[in-house]
Amino acid sequence: MLRCSFCGRRAVYHRRYAGVFLCDRCMIKSVERRFRRAISENKLVMPGERVAVAVSGGKDSVACLHLLHDYCRGRRCELVAITVDEGIKGYREQSLPVARENAEMLGVEHHVVSFKEVFGAKLDEMVKIAAKRVTGLNPCTYCGVMRRHLLNQAARELSADKLATGHNLDDETQAIMLNYVRADLSRLYRLGPIYMPREGFVPRIKPLREIPEKEVALYTLLRGIKVHLDVCPYASGIHTEIRDFLNSLETNHPNSKFMILRMFEEIRPHLQEAVPEVEMKSCESCGEPTSTRLCKTCELLQGIGLAKRRKNLISDQNS
Ligand SMILES: [Zn+2]
Ligand SMILES: [Zn+2]
């Protein structure tokens, strides 16, 4: 029997990059400690703040909701959960109830914002329309741009001071590598534990950023938290290639993911001067903040003959 390197109880996890074994209790404690440290070191959440959490129902966002809920107790912080229903058959329709259940269980106010209601089409329908009109369509582009758009707008309408997402170490290193491969300096600069954008945008925080995906999954399992484990049916292409590459790198050279993160952190402060300042305006179609005439969401919608139908996401929903 393998024993925990810290307390001698039965080990459930081999943390290869640190050369230690952990039992269930030490594993839970370690994840929670790392979560709290990420928040305090980077000042992600301040006492008295209202934090919106993007909860899809997947393990990362649900773990983030539970961890933040524990963290906010006694700190006068308030949580509100937002789920974006993109309309992906067999995927989101199963994860949405999981998100709702977890929010209810923790007594966290929960809002659902759907592509269908706001844009007039589900992602599945957009993909079908786009396949006929736009060449080289990537569903992840539509989904990513529009989901961020709705999360930011909903968080702002809910008067949130921060918008928390469940990005883990694997997500973050994949994003770093992807922006290297695409030579996208401004997107690269936006990565980090906290991104303070301009007027009209809610600062985004990633408190799970230093926790490997495997450990987030094990954490939810050990704490008996209900999560949805399926992978999005649209996941493919360069994202998955980079993920597989990083996983094989980590297998053969443990600690590689943390090293990529650390190196990026060394470089990041020097990127600011290389990223051009842009002037912010209001989107001519929907009024949301953007640096161009139309925001990216409206531009993509226009390309497939659609337009945003609702100006307010939350107030319209409740009235
Ligand atoms: Zn232990
Ligand atoms: Zn717009």
Side-chain angles (χ1 to χ4, degrees):
M1 176 174 95
L2 288 166
R3 292 189 175 278
C4 174
S5 310
F6 302 96
C7 75
R9 293 173 71 245
R10 191 172 69 89
V12 296
Y13 180 61
H14 181 199
R15 186 178 268 165
R16 288 184 68 220
Y17 60 84
V20 294
F21 291 91
L22 292 113
C23 70
D24 49 357
R25 277 187 220 159
C26 293
M27 182 66 203
I28 289 174
K29 261 195 258 168
S30 164
V31 167
E32 292 175 347
R33 206 180 306 123
R34 213 175 269 183
F35 179 85
R36 286 195 302 269
R37 197 181 57 205
I39 293 185
S40 60
E41 273 179 5
N42 304 294
K43 299 192 171 60
L44 302 187
V45 180
M46 304 305 273
E49 279 189 338
R50 184 165 157 88
V51 182
V53 194
V55 186
S56 67
K59 63 183 185 335
D60 304 298
S61 63
V62 170
C64 187
L65 180 69
H66 280 259
L67 284 158
L68 273 171
H69 183 258
D70 293 345
Y71 183 87
C72 287
R73 232 182 293 163
R75 284 184 172 91
R76 296 182 296 114
C77 292
E78 223 179 9
L79 285 185
V80 51
I82 306 168
T83 303
V84 174
D85 179 2
E86 304 92 347
I88 303 173
K89 202 173 171 1
Y91 176 66
R92 191 56 78 225
E93 56 196 10
Q94 281 165 20
S95 72
L96 203 138
V98 177
R100 187 182 294 124
E101 242 175 82
N102 278 284
E104 249 168 44
M105 196 185 97
L106 298 172
V108 174
E109 175 187 329
H110 183 225
H111 297 266
V112 179
V113 182
S114 86
F115 273 28
K116 180 82 181 176
E117 276 173 47
V118 182
F119 304 134
K122 298 174 178 182
L123 182 70
D124 287 343
E125 293 165 339
M126 290 183 191
V127 170
K128 275 190 204 132
I129 304 169
K132 292 183 199 138
R133 295 187 177 218
V134 192
T135 45
L137 156 90
N138 182 0
C140 299
T141 306
Y142 285 75
C143 186
V145 167
M146 294 176 184
R147 187 157 24 90
R148 271 194 301 277
H149 179 105
L150 294 182
L151 283 172
N152 179 68
Q153 192 185 342
R156 197 187 62 230
E157 289 181 13
L158 289 162
S159 314
D161 299 294
K162 303 280 165 60
L163 170 61
T165 57
H167 290 90
N168 57 44
L169 176 71
D170 295 60
D171 298 324
E172 194 74 347
T173 49
Q174 279 163 36
I176 292 168
M177 295 308 287
L178 186 68
N179 288 313
Y180 264 104
V181 174
R182 290 182 170 165
D184 194 333
L185 205 57
S186 29
R187 282 240 162 71
L188 185 68
Y189 176 66
R190 278 184 236 160
L191 300 173
I194 181 162
Y195 177 62
M196 293 289 217
R198 291 135 189 273
E199 188 75 30
F201 288 99
V202 179
R204 293 196 300 264
I205 58 169
K206 296 176 200 158
L208 296 182
R209 186 173 169 267
E210 305 223 9
I211 307 172
E213 182 169 28
K214 242 190 233 172
E215 300 189 13
V216 178
L218 187 55
Y219 178 79
T220 56
L221 191 75
L222 292 174
R223 276 198 56 189
I225 297 170
K226 192 174 170 192
V227 299
H228 179 248
L229 281 172
D230 286 0
V231 177
C232 179
Y234 290 118
S236 67
I238 191 164
H239 294 268
T240 49
E241 283 172 50
I242 288 178
R243 182 197 64 203
D244 295 345
F245 161 70
L246 287 171
N247 283 341
S248 83
L249 197 66
E250 183 72 31
T251 303
N252 299 327
H253 311 279
N255 212 27
S256 293
K257 289 175 188 171
F258 275 109
M259 288 297 121
I260 290 169
L261 192 72
R262 295 286 167 260
M263 184 62 188
F264 170 64
E265 252 136 50
E266 296 283 329
I267 297 170
R268 192 166 181 263
H270 306 286
L271 291 179
Q272 193 166 14
E273 46 195 283
V275 177
E277 286 266 327
V278 284
E279 201 200 322
M280 295 309 277
K281 314 172 220 193
S282 294
C283 168
E284 278 181 15
S285 174
C286 77
E288 283 299 294
T290 174
S291 59
T292 44
R293 193 178 65 84
L294 280 183
C295 73
K296 191 79 190 150
T297 291
C298 289
E299 189 194 309
L300 289 173
L301 286 171
Q302 217 172 55
I304 50 174
L306 295 170
K308 210 169 153 183
R309 288 182 173 180
R310 267 185 18 201
K311 197 159 169 48
N312 295 310
L313 305 179
I314 304 296
S315 45
D316 286 9
Q317 198 173 43
N318 296 344
S319 62

